[in-house]
Amino acid sequence: MAAALGLAAAALALGEVPVGAVVVVGGTVVGKGCNRREVDQDPLAHAELLALRAACGRLGRWRLSDATLYVTLEPCVMCAGALVQARVGRLVFGATDLQYGAVGSQFDLPRDPRLNHRVEVTGGVEARACRAVLDRFFGNLRAR
């Protein structure tokens, strides 16, 4: 989660919503990403999707059943769906997202029994640190 928090800080420096994500396989980081929607003008440039894309490129495969994705914020519907599609084995996230969260807050896609794959989920890891960087970003935004 420390690496994901570092990427969240990088997103913050870019003026993005500070979310960072890393994909780990066998103890090695194989993909990483931070939010880049504003920089790239791409609605799909979420930290999780960028990290998954990098991991698949590095590993040369799209099935990530042996991978753990660490992300600082509970994934949205799009990103939670991507976890299922990529067959990610485990998700570890920090802060919950009560408005858009799709891993228990609003929806629970990775554990939905109607889907063909379920993701093991651990939430609330380093939640205070993850929430603090988000609160700083949104506090600064409101102050403007």
Side-chain angles (χ1 to χ4, degrees):
M1 190 60 77
L5 277 163
L7 290 162
L12 183 65
L14 293 172
E16 297 280 350
V17 174
V19 177
V22 296
V23 177
V24 175
V25 173
T28 301
V29 174
V30 295
K32 57 186 179 178
C34 69
N35 275 359
R36 295 184 52 89
R37 289 189 317 170
E38 298 298 331
V39 170
D40 294 347
Q41 290 298 294
D42 180 356
L44 306 180
H46 287 210
E48 301 96 321
L49 296 184
L50 298 175
L52 290 172
R53 185 176 292 135
C56 291
R58 179 168 177 189
L59 298 170
R61 58 187 164 94
W62 65 268
R63 288 180 185 88
L64 300 174
S65 58
D66 57 344
T68 299
L69 175 76
Y70 294 86
V71 62
T72 57
L73 181 64
E74 178 184 356
C76 69
V77 171
M78 175 176 67
C79 294
L83 295 171
V84 173
Q85 291 296 322
R87 314 299 196 266
V88 170
R90 183 170 181 232
L91 165 68
V92 177
F93 71 87
T96 57
D97 185 345
L98 298 177
Q99 187 173 13
Y100 294 108
V103 186
S105 290
Q106 290 292 330
F107 307 96
D108 198 356
L109 289 178
R111 295 178 285 206
D112 191 316
R114 296 171 294 179
L115 301 177
N116 67 334
H117 176 76
R118 260 134 335 285
V119 179
E120 179 186 336
V121 175
T122 303
V125 175
E126 294 292 333
R128 284 186 188 203
C130 295
R131 174 62 53 203
V133 70
L134 288 160
D135 288 348
R136 188 168 125 211
F137 172 79
F138 288 110
N140 290 341
L141 195 62
R142 283 185 207 100
R144 286 188 223 152

